[in-house]
Amino acid sequence: MFTEIAEAVIHGEVDKITALVQQALNSGASVHDILEQGLIAGMNEVGQRFRDYEMFVPEVLLSAKAMQAGLNLLKPLLAGTGGPGRGKVVIGTVEGDIHDIGKNLVISFLEGAGFEVIDLGTDVSPQRFVEAIKQEAPQILGMSSLLTSTLPAMHKTIEALIEAGIRHQVKVLVGGAPVTQAYADSIGADGYAPDGASGAMKARQLVGRP
Ligand code: B1M
């Protein structure tokens, strides 16, 4: 069942994925297993094939669409651990980077944990982050980066917060495949999380409500 879901992601079968995920849920599979062993496993294989030049951008985009369709079905089920009122998170993918599937998954977990989330989308400049912090006054700023080449944009954004005199107003949480705890420490972020579930847990710790 999970292999079929992963295959549907790999082949970008948007219509099929909804039926398969629904079927898995009906049969009692856990959301965690559908995510990890189905959708994410499929996307990891896509990444491997992309790197090996066996898949190209148009096919990867279809896979991304299929993954998102599956995620949309799981999204309401990721809720339930938090209850409302944990605080506000402004989040975005950093400048130069248009990957958003991981960010969207993190958002689902944050919302599930009771956070209000303002999503700035992708390719978000440091200035845009600064403006959003001033406007929204969130407790947490979340940044996602999937490209090694856009990692420095996280650092630039933290520097922009310092320059604007608002660094102390928010806790900064960072994540994405090339991000590590050591990198997060080196740029002065307050937290790092390797995946969506731990992202929500970290966010709760950062606002002092674990
Ligand atoms: Co691109 N891409 N891509 N891509 N892509 C990667 C990231 C890559 C690893 C593929 C590879 O070479 N194997 C590689 C990056 C190498 C590197 O720099 N280290 C790469 C590249 C090179 C590129 C292009 C440069 C390719 C090109 O054009 N030559 C280009 C860059 C475009 C740009 O951004 N400027 C590009 C384009 C694309 C598509 C547009 C085709 C598409 C994106 C579609 C979309 O997002 N809407 C795409 C995709 C789909 C991928 C792969 C295959 C899948 C990414 C994904 O969605 N994973 C990816 C290979 C891979 O990761 N296996 C790849 C599933 C997702 C659930 O995981 O995003 O890691 P992830 O998110 C996780 C965690 O990282 C974490 O939690 C999430 C959930 O568990 N997390 C956070 C993420 N953000 C977080 C924030 C947090 C906390 C945790 O707190 C705030």
Side-chain angles (χ1 to χ4, degrees), residues 56-129:
F56 299 95
V57 170
E59 294 151 305
V60 176
L61 277 176
L62 269 185
S63 294
K65 227 173 161 187
M67 167 106 189
Q68 199 61 58
L71 274 183
N72 287 345
L73 214 60
L74 297 182
K75 197 173 165 174
L77 305 169
L78 294 172
T81 50
R86 280 196 187 270
K88 201 192 262 190
V89 181
V90 161
I91 193 168
T93 303
V94 297
E95 190 169 56
D97 191 339
I98 60 165
H99 294 86
D100 67 356
I101 298 171
K103 168 185 67 63
N104 294 343
L105 189 51
V106 173
I107 289 174
S108 299
F109 276 101
L110 285 169
E111 287 176 342
F115 286 94
E116 179 191 350
V117 181
I118 311 290
D119 180 10
L120 301 182
T122 60
D123 190 15
V124 181
S125 68
Q127 209 43 48
R128 173 91 183 82
F129 276 120

